[in-house]
Amino acid sequence: MQFTIHMGDPAERTALLRMLETWRGLTCASVEFADWTPEHRPEPGGILFWDLDDCPPPAAAVGKCALFLCSSSSSAAIASYSLHPAGFLRKPIGMEKLWAALHRCIKLWWDSLERLEITSDRCRVRLPLCDLVWAESTRRGSLVHSTQGPIAPRETLPALEERLPKELFLRCQRGFLVNLRHVRRLDSGGLHMSDGAVVPLSRSSRGETAEAYRKFCLLWDVRMRDGEKRHG
C-alpha cells in the first residue's frame, strides 16, 4: 500500500513523514511513502495526504484513493465535504491526531498489516503482529495472548521469537516474550501489559529488561513527539 504526501511547507512535510514512519513501525504495516507530483499519480486504493492551505487537490487525485485533507483552518473541514475525504487533520498535526484519524479508517490499511502465521488446533491463523500482546512457554509449545484472544501455537517460544521483529518484541526472560508497544509500565511486580496481564520478571532479567524498555520508550517517544516539536 502507498501513502502519498502533498504538503506545501517542506518542514510540515518532513514532520508528517516522520510521524507516518513511526506509525508504520509500531503498527507493523507494509506501507510505502511517496511525494505527490503532477507526474506521479497515487496508487488506486492508497491514501493521499493533501495540504489544503497550499492548493486544492486536482480532480485527477480525487476519487482514486482515500483522501486525508490537512489545513490550519477549521472551516476548511466543512468546505471540503464535497471532496468526500476519508479524514481531516487540523494543523499543526500531532501524533495523537494522526493516530486517531488513521484508526478511524482502519479498513483502508488493514490488509497491509504484517501478519504472523500460526498453526493451532489444526487451524491456521494469520495474526497481525500489532495484535500480539505477549506470549509464554507451555509444556506443549507456547501460548500467545492477543487482542483477539489466546492462541496456542504448536511451536516453541524460541521458534516464535525468531519470526518476530526484534525492535518491537523482547524475550524478557526464558518463559516470556512481550510486545514492547503493549507494555504500559514496569514496576516491582513486572511488566504491566495492555490486556491487564502482569508478566513477572526474575531478579536476573529485571535490569536488562528495564534497560531495553527504557531504550524503546526513548526511541519511539522522540519520534512521536518530533512532529509536535517542529510545530511548537
Side-chain angles (χ1 to χ4, degrees), residues 10-215:
E12 290 180 337
R13 178 259 178 201
T14 299
L16 176 59
L17 180 59
R18 289 173 72 91
M19 286 186 285
L20 287 172
E21 289 174 342
T22 296
W23 174 86
R24 176 177 63 181
L26 292 176
T27 309
C28 298
S30 296
V31 174
E32 297 180 350
F33 303 119
D35 288 317
W36 187 90
T37 65
E39 294 75 26
H40 171 80
R41 300 298 175 85
E43 291 184 357
I47 292 179
L48 172 62
F49 292 86
W50 191 274
D51 183 6
L52 279 177
D53 295 341
D54 181 60
C55 63
V62 179
K64 296 182 179 181
C65 58
L67 184 63
F68 276 77
L69 297 174
C70 310
S71 176
S72 57
S73 172
S74 57
S75 61
I78 299 176
S80 64
Y81 280 159
S82 61
L83 298 175
H84 305 291
F88 180 85
L89 291 166
R90 176 80 179 274
K91 297 191 301 184
I93 303 170
M95 190 63 187
E96 290 185 5
K97 295 178 184 178
L98 177 62
W99 199 286
L102 287 171
H103 185 72
R104 288 194 297 269
C105 302
I106 192 171
K107 291 182 180 180
L108 299 176
W109 45 266
W110 177 257
D111 290 340
S112 71
L113 293 179
E114 297 178 18
R115 287 169 165 77
L116 179 71
E117 289 196 1
I118 302 174
T119 301
S120 176
D121 295 330
R122 299 180 181 179
C123 296
R124 181 168 294 180
V125 180
R126 298 187 71 246
L127 178 71
L129 295 184
C130 59
D131 284 349
L132 199 167
V133 181
W134 63 287
E136 60 183 316
S137 292
T138 64
R139 292 182 178 179
R140 296 184 178 181
S142 57
L143 181 63
V144 170
H145 300 269
S146 75
T147 59
Q148 302 178 24
I151 305 171
R154 296 176 181 176
E155 61 189 313
T156 64
L157 196 64
L160 193 68
E161 180 186 13
E162 286 296 318
R163 300 199 288 131
L164 296 170
K166 291 179 172 54
E167 61 270 19
L168 284 181
F169 291 88
L170 174 68
R171 185 86 172 277
C172 52
Q173 60 175 321
R174 184 176 181 181
F176 297 97
L177 179 148
V178 299
N179 183 340
L180 290 169
R181 178 192 165 190
H182 285 280
V183 175
R184 293 298 173 259
R185 71 179 188 276
L186 168 61
D187 59 21
S188 59
L191 293 166
H192 293 253
M193 308 304 296
S194 61
D195 63 352
V198 180
V199 176
L201 296 174
S202 63
R203 290 185 179 180
S204 60
S205 64
R206 182 174 298 277
E208 186 175 347
T209 299
E211 179 63 14
Y213 182 52
R214 185 191 69 81
K215 289 180 178 179

